[in-house]
PDB file of all heavy atoms in Angstrom:
ATOM      1  N   PRO U   1      23.165  15.424-179.690  1.00 75.00           N
ATOM      2  CA  PRO U   1      22.333  16.485-180.285  1.00 75.00           C
ATOM      3  C   PRO U   1      22.404  16.544-181.804  1.00 75.00           C
ATOM      4  O   PRO U   1      21.443  16.912-182.459  1.00 75.00           O
ATOM      5  CB  PRO U   1      22.862  17.760-179.657  1.00 75.00           C
ATOM      6  CG  PRO U   1      24.078  17.409-178.885  1.00 75.00           C
ATOM      7  CD  PRO U   1      24.176  15.930-178.808  1.00 75.00           C
ATOM      8  N   ASP U   2      23.552  16.176-182.385  1.00 76.00           N
ATOM      9  CA  ASP U   2      23.669  16.189-183.853  1.00 76.00           C
ATOM     10  C   ASP U   2      22.724  15.150-184.469  1.00 76.00           C
ATOM     11  O   ASP U   2      22.090  15.406-185.488  1.00 76.00           O
ATOM     12  CB  ASP U   2      25.099  15.886-184.285  1.00 76.00           C
ATOM     13  CG  ASP U   2      26.071  16.984-183.874  1.00 76.00           C
ATOM     14  OD1 ASP U   2      25.610  18.138-183.748  1.00 76.00           O
ATOM     15  OD2 ASP U   2      27.262  16.690-183.675  1.00 76.00           O
ATOM     16  N   LEU U   3      22.620  13.997-183.846  1.00 76.00           N
ATOM     17  CA  LEU U   3      21.736  12.951-184.341  1.00 76.00           C
ATOM     18  C   LEU U   3      20.268  13.393-184.214  1.00 76.00           C
ATOM     19  O   LEU U   3      19.463  13.158-185.103  1.00 76.00           O
ATOM     20  CB  LEU U   3      21.965  11.650-183.564  1.00 76.00           C
ATOM     21  CG  LEU U   3      21.180  10.430-184.026  1.00 76.00           C
ATOM     22  CD1 LEU U   3      21.475  10.103-185.478  1.00 76.00           C
ATOM     23  CD2 LEU U   3      21.501   9.235-183.140  1.00 76.00           C
ATOM     24  N   VAL U   4      19.947  14.081-183.125  1.00 73.00           N
ATOM     25  CA  VAL U   4      18.581  14.591-182.934  1.00 73.00           C
ATOM     26  C   VAL U   4      18.225  15.533-184.069  1.00 73.00           C
ATOM     27  O   VAL U   4      17.156  15.426-184.675  1.00 73.00           O
ATOM     28  CB  VAL U   4      18.434  15.301-181.567  1.00 73.00           C
ATOM     29  CG1 VAL U   4      17.095  15.995-181.478  1.00 73.00           C
ATOM     30  CG2 VAL U   4      18.612  14.322-180.428  1.00 73.00           C
ATOM     31  N   GLU U   5      19.107  16.465-184.378  1.00 76.00           N
ATOM     32  CA  GLU U   5      18.842  17.425-185.448  1.00 76.00           C
ATOM     33  C   GLU U   5      18.702  16.725-186.795  1.00 76.00           C
ATOM     34  O   GLU U   5      17.848  17.045-187.599  1.00 76.00           O
ATOM     35  CB  GLU U   5      19.958  18.484-185.535  1.00 76.00           C
ATOM     36  CG  GLU U   5      19.884  19.526-184.448  1.00 76.00           C
ATOM     37  CD  GLU U   5      18.540  20.247-184.431  1.00 76.00           C
ATOM     38  OE1 GLU U   5      18.050  20.680-185.493  1.00 76.00           O
ATOM     39  OE2 GLU U   5      17.970  20.362-183.338  1.00 76.00           O
ATOM     40  N   TYR U   6      19.551  15.727-187.032  1.00 76.00           N
ATOM     41  CA  TYR U   6      19.515  14.995-188.302  1.00 76.00           C
ATOM     42  C   TYR U   6      18.196  14.235-188.456  1.00 76.00           C
ATOM     43  O   TYR U   6      17.610  14.200-189.531  1.00 76.00           O
ATOM     44  CB  TYR U   6      20.700  14.029-188.387  1.00 76.00           C
ATOM     45  CG  TYR U   6      20.788  13.280-189.679  1.00 76.00           C
ATOM     46  CD1 TYR U   6      21.305  13.897-190.821  1.00 76.00           C
ATOM     47  CD2 TYR U   6      20.334  11.973-189.769  1.00 76.00           C
ATOM     48  CE1 TYR U   6      21.375  13.218-192.028  1.00 76.00           C
ATOM     49  CE2 TYR U   6      20.411  11.283-190.980  1.00 76.00           C
ATOM     50  CZ  TYR U   6      20.914  11.909-192.096  1.00 76.00           C
ATOM     51  OH  TYR U   6      20.973  11.248-193.288  1.00 76.00           O
ATOM     52  N   LEU U   7      17.714  13.647-187.363  1.00 78.00           N
ATOM     53  CA  LEU U   7      16.510  12.818-187.428  1.00 78.00           C
ATOM     54  C   LEU U   7      15.209  13.604-187.348  1.00 78.00           C
ATOM     55  O   LEU U   7      14.148  13.049-187.609  1.00 78.00           O
ATOM     56  CB  LEU U   7      16.551  11.770-186.315  1.00 78.00           C
ATOM     57  CG  LEU U   7      17.605  10.677-186.496  1.00 78.00           C
ATOM     58  CD1 LEU U   7      17.627   9.758-185.292  1.00 78.00           C
ATOM     59  CD2 LEU U   7      17.381   9.894-187.770  1.00 78.00           C
ATOM     60  N   LYS U   8      15.244  14.891-187.015  1.00 76.00           N
ATOM     61  CA  LYS U   8      14.014  15.675-186.935  1.00 76.00           C
ATOM     62  C   LYS U   8      13.261  15.655-188.262  1.00 76.00           C
ATOM     63  O   LYS U   8      12.037  15.629-188.272  1.00 76.00           O
ATOM     64  CB  LYS U   8      14.308  17.110-186.500  1.00 76.00           C
ATOM     65  CG  LYS U   8      14.421  17.253-185.000  1.00 76.00           C
ATOM     66  CD  LYS U   8      14.532  18.706-184.594  1.00 76.00           C
ATOM     67  CE  LYS U   8      14.608  18.785-183.085  1.00 76.00           C
ATOM     68  NZ  LYS U   8      14.818  20.149-182.639  1.00 76.00           N
ATOM     69  N   GLY U   9      13.956  15.679-189.354  1.00 76.00           N
ATOM     70  CA  GLY U   9      13.295  15.608-190.662  1.00 76.00           C
ATOM     71  C   GLY U   9      12.529  14.312-190.848  1.00 76.00           C
ATOM     72  O   GLY U   9      11.458  14.303-191.451  1.00 76.00           O
ATOM     73  N   PHE U  10      13.059  13.224-190.343  1.00 80.00           N
ATOM     74  CA  PHE U  10      12.363  11.937-190.443  1.00 80.00           C
ATOM     75  C   PHE U  10      11.106  11.924-189.580  1.00 80.00           C
ATOM     76  O   PHE U  10      10.109  11.297-189.926  1.00 80.00           O
ATOM     77  CB  PHE U  10      13.286  10.786-190.027  1.00 80.00           C
ATOM     78  CG  PHE U  10      14.434  10.579-190.973  1.00 80.00           C
ATOM     79  CD1 PHE U  10      15.705  10.954-190.619  1.00 80.00           C
ATOM     80  CD2 PHE U  10      14.235  10.012-192.225  1.00 80.00           C
ATOM     81  CE1 PHE U  10      16.770  10.774-191.484  1.00 80.00           C
ATOM     82  CE2 PHE U  10      15.279   9.825-193.110  1.00 80.00           C
ATOM     83  CZ  PHE U  10      16.558  10.215-192.730  1.00 80.00           C
ATOM     84  N   LEU U  11      11.139  12.586-188.422  1.00 85.00           N
ATOM     85  CA  LEU U  11       9.995  12.618-187.523  1.00 85.00           C
ATOM     86  C   LEU U  11       8.837  13.411-188.099  1.00 85.00           C
ATOM     87  O   LEU U  11       7.692  13.245-187.671  1.00 85.00           O
ATOM     88  CB  LEU U  11      10.402  13.173-186.158  1.00 85.00           C
ATOM     89  CG  LEU U  11      11.398  12.323-185.366  1.00 85.00           C
ATOM     90  CD1 LEU U  11      11.796  13.037-184.096  1.00 85.00           C
ATOM     91  CD2 LEU U  11      10.824  10.953-185.065  1.00 85.00           C
ATOM     92  N   ASP U  12       9.101  14.253-189.080  1.00 86.00           N
ATOM     93  CA  ASP U  12       8.045  15.039-189.712  1.00 86.00           C
ATOM     94  C   ASP U  12       7.275  14.241-190.761  1.00 86.00           C
ATOM     95  O   ASP U  12       6.209  14.667-191.198  1.00 86.00           O
ATOM     96  CB  ASP U  12       8.615  16.304-190.356  1.00 86.00           C
ATOM     97  CG  ASP U  12       9.114  17.298-189.322  1.00 86.00           C
ATOM     98  OD1 ASP U  12       8.636  17.247-188.175  1.00 86.00           O
ATOM     99  OD2 ASP U  12       9.992  18.111-189.666  1.00 86.00           O
ATOM    100  N   ASN U  13       7.800  13.098-191.168  1.00 85.00           N
ATOM    101  CA  ASN U  13       7.156  12.302-192.213  1.00 85.00           C
ATOM    102  C   ASN U  13       7.507  10.829-192.003  1.00 85.00           C
ATOM    103  O   ASN U  13       8.473  10.331-192.572  1.00 85.00           O
ATOM    104  CB  ASN U  13       7.632  12.779-193.583  1.00 85.00           C
ATOM    105  CG  ASN U  13       6.991  12.022-194.717  1.00 85.00           C
ATOM    106  OD1 ASN U  13       6.103  11.217-194.530  1.00 85.00           O
ATOM    107  ND2 ASN U  13       7.471  12.288-195.925  1.00 85.00           N
ATOM    108  N   VAL U  14       6.702  10.125-191.203  1.00 85.00           N
ATOM    109  CA  VAL U  14       7.025   8.726-190.886  1.00 85.00           C
ATOM    110  C   VAL U  14       6.062   7.723-191.529  1.00 85.00           C
ATOM    111  O   VAL U  14       6.287   6.528-191.449  1.00 85.00           O
ATOM    112  CB  VAL U  14       7.079   8.464-189.368  1.00 85.00           C
ATOM    113  CG1 VAL U  14       8.188   9.239-188.725  1.00 85.00           C
ATOM    114  CG2 VAL U  14       5.742   8.714-188.712  1.00 85.00           C
ATOM    115  N   THR U  15       4.998   8.197-192.150  1.00 85.00           N
ATOM    116  CA  THR U  15       4.037   7.275-192.774  1.00 85.00           C
ATOM    117  C   THR U  15       4.045   7.473-194.271  1.00 85.00           C
ATOM    118  O   THR U  15       4.512   8.480-194.784  1.00 85.00           O
ATOM    119  CB  THR U  15       2.600   7.493-192.231  1.00 85.00           C
ATOM    120  OG1 THR U  15       2.175   8.809-192.623  1.00 85.00           O
ATOM    121  CG2 THR U  15       2.545   7.366-190.719  1.00 85.00           C
ATOM    122  N   ILE U  16       3.468   6.512-194.955  1.00 82.00           N
ATOM    123  CA  ILE U  16       3.443   6.566-196.412  1.00 82.00           C
ATOM    124  C   ILE U  16       2.613   7.741-196.916  1.00 82.00           C
ATOM    125  O   ILE U  16       2.822   8.242-198.011  1.00 82.00           O
ATOM    126  CB  ILE U  16       2.943   5.238-197.004  1.00 82.00           C
ATOM    127  CG1 ILE U  16       3.311   5.128-198.466  1.00 82.00           C
ATOM    128  CG2 ILE U  16       1.451   5.048-196.772  1.00 82.00           C
ATOM    129  CD1 ILE U  16       3.188   3.737-199.039  1.00 82.00           C
ATOM    130  N   ASP U  17       1.665   8.210-196.079  1.00 87.00           N
ATOM    131  CA  ASP U  17       0.833   9.347-196.489  1.00 87.00           C
ATOM    132  C   ASP U  17       1.315  10.665-195.883  1.00 87.00           C
ATOM    133  O   ASP U  17       0.603  11.650-195.881  1.00 87.00           O
ATOM    134  CB  ASP U  17      -0.639   9.109-196.181  1.00 87.00           C
ATOM    135  CG  ASP U  17      -0.901   8.778-194.723  1.00 87.00           C
ATOM    136  OD1 ASP U  17       0.062   8.539-193.985  1.00 87.00           O
ATOM    137  OD2 ASP U  17      -2.080   8.755-194.326  1.00 87.00           O
ATOM    138  N   GLY U  18       2.549  10.698-195.366  1.00 87.00           N
ATOM    139  CA  GLY U  18       3.191  11.936-194.958  1.00 87.00           C
ATOM    140  C   GLY U  18       2.850  12.460-193.576  1.00 87.00           C
ATOM    141  O   GLY U  18       3.057  13.640-193.308  1.00 87.00           O
ATOM    142  N   LYS U  19       2.358  11.625-192.686  1.00 90.00           N
ATOM    143  CA  LYS U  19       2.024  12.085-191.340  1.00 90.00           C
ATOM    144  C   LYS U  19       3.283  12.129-190.457  1.00 90.00           C
ATOM    145  O   LYS U  19       4.192  11.338-190.628  1.00 90.00           O
ATOM    146  CB  LYS U  19       0.981  11.179-190.710  1.00 90.00           C
ATOM    147  CG  LYS U  19      -0.379  11.305-191.367  1.00 90.00           C
ATOM    148  CD  LYS U  19      -1.423  10.526-190.629  1.00 90.00           C
ATOM    149  CE  LYS U  19      -2.805  10.780-191.158  1.00 90.00           C
ATOM    150  NZ  LYS U  19      -3.057  10.357-192.491  1.00 90.00           N
ATOM    151  N   SER U  20       3.258  13.057-189.512  1.00 90.00           N
ATOM    152  CA  SER U  20       4.390  13.188-188.601  1.00 90.00           C
ATOM    153  C   SER U  20       4.363  12.058-187.558  1.00 90.00           C
ATOM    154  O   SER U  20       3.341  11.390-187.376  1.00 90.00           O
ATOM    155  CB  SER U  20       4.328  14.539-187.877  1.00 90.00           C
ATOM    156  OG  SER U  20       3.243  14.540-186.964  1.00 90.00           O
ATOM    157  N   PHE U  21       5.474  11.902-186.858  1.00 90.00           N
ATOM    158  CA  PHE U  21       5.544  10.886-185.806  1.00 90.00           C
ATOM    159  C   PHE U  21       4.538  11.193-184.703  1.00 90.00           C
ATOM    160  O   PHE U  21       3.901  10.281-184.169  1.00 90.00           O
ATOM    161  CB  PHE U  21       6.965  10.789-185.234  1.00 90.00           C
ATOM    162  CG  PHE U  21       7.089   9.700-184.228  1.00 90.00           C
ATOM    163  CD1 PHE U  21       7.156   8.373-184.622  1.00 90.00           C
ATOM    164  CD2 PHE U  21       7.127   9.986-182.866  1.00 90.00           C
ATOM    165  CE1 PHE U  21       7.260   7.347-183.691  1.00 90.00           C
ATOM    166  CE2 PHE U  21       7.234   8.976-181.932  1.00 90.00           C
ATOM    167  CZ  PHE U  21       7.299   7.657-182.353  1.00 90.00           C
ATOM    168  N   ASP U  22       4.352  12.467-184.364  1.00 91.00           N
ATOM    169  CA  ASP U  22       3.377  12.839-183.336  1.00 91.00           C
ATOM    170  C   ASP U  22       1.961  12.445-183.749  1.00 91.00           C
ATOM    171  O   ASP U  22       1.197  11.914-182.943  1.00 91.00           O
ATOM    172  CB  ASP U  22       3.448  14.339-183.047  1.00 91.00           C
ATOM    173  CG  ASP U  22       4.720  14.733-182.322  1.00 91.00           C
ATOM    174  OD1 ASP U  22       5.316  13.859-181.646  1.00 91.00           O
ATOM    175  OD2 ASP U  22       5.127  15.898-182.429  1.00 91.00           O
ATOM    176  N   HIS U  23       1.604  12.695-184.997  1.00 93.00           N
ATOM    177  CA  HIS U  23       0.284  12.316-185.510  1.00 93.00           C
ATOM    178  C   HIS U  23       0.122  10.799-185.486  1.00 93.00           C
ATOM    179  O   HIS U  23      -0.911  10.256-185.080  1.00 93.00           O
ATOM    180  CB  HIS U  23       0.098  12.853-186.921  1.00 93.00           C
ATOM    181  CG  HIS U  23      -1.280  12.709-187.456  1.00 93.00           C
ATOM    182  ND1 HIS U  23      -2.034  13.774-187.845  1.00 93.00           N
ATOM    183  CD2 HIS U  23      -2.060  11.626-187.657  1.00 93.00           C
ATOM    184  CE1 HIS U  23      -3.208  13.348-188.267  1.00 93.00           C
ATOM    185  NE2 HIS U  23      -3.243  12.051-188.163  1.00 93.00           N
ATOM    186  N   PHE U  24       1.156  10.091-185.939  1.00 93.00           N
ATOM    187  CA  PHE U  24       1.154   8.634-185.936  1.00 93.00           C
ATOM    188  C   PHE U  24       0.989   8.096-184.508  1.00 93.00           C
ATOM    189  O   PHE U  24       0.189   7.202-184.257  1.00 93.00           O
ATOM    190  CB  PHE U  24       2.463   8.122-186.566  1.00 93.00           C
ATOM    191  CG  PHE U  24       2.676   6.652-186.411  1.00 93.00           C
ATOM    192  CD1 PHE U  24       1.954   5.742-187.158  1.00 93.00           C
ATOM    193  CD2 PHE U  24       3.606   6.170-185.490  1.00 93.00           C
ATOM    194  CE1 PHE U  24       2.146   4.377-187.014  1.00 93.00           C
ATOM    195  CE2 PHE U  24       3.805   4.809-185.345  1.00 93.00           C
ATOM    196  CZ  PHE U  24       3.076   3.920-186.109  1.00 93.00           C
TER     197      PHE U  24
END
């Protein structure tokens, strides 16, 4: 769970133009 919390920030911005992982 600690890794999940840490990586949530990365999932919010995974593309060069700032799109979330869900959008991607």
Side-chain angles (χ1 to χ4, degrees):
D2 294 333
L3 184 59
V4 172
E5 284 304 313
Y6 183 79
L7 291 176
K8 276 187 179 176
F10 293 106
L11 295 175
D12 291 336
N13 181 7
V14 296
T15 65
I16 197 165
D17 55 350
K19 291 187 173 65
S20 70
F21 184 75
D22 290 335
H23 189 120
F24 170 74

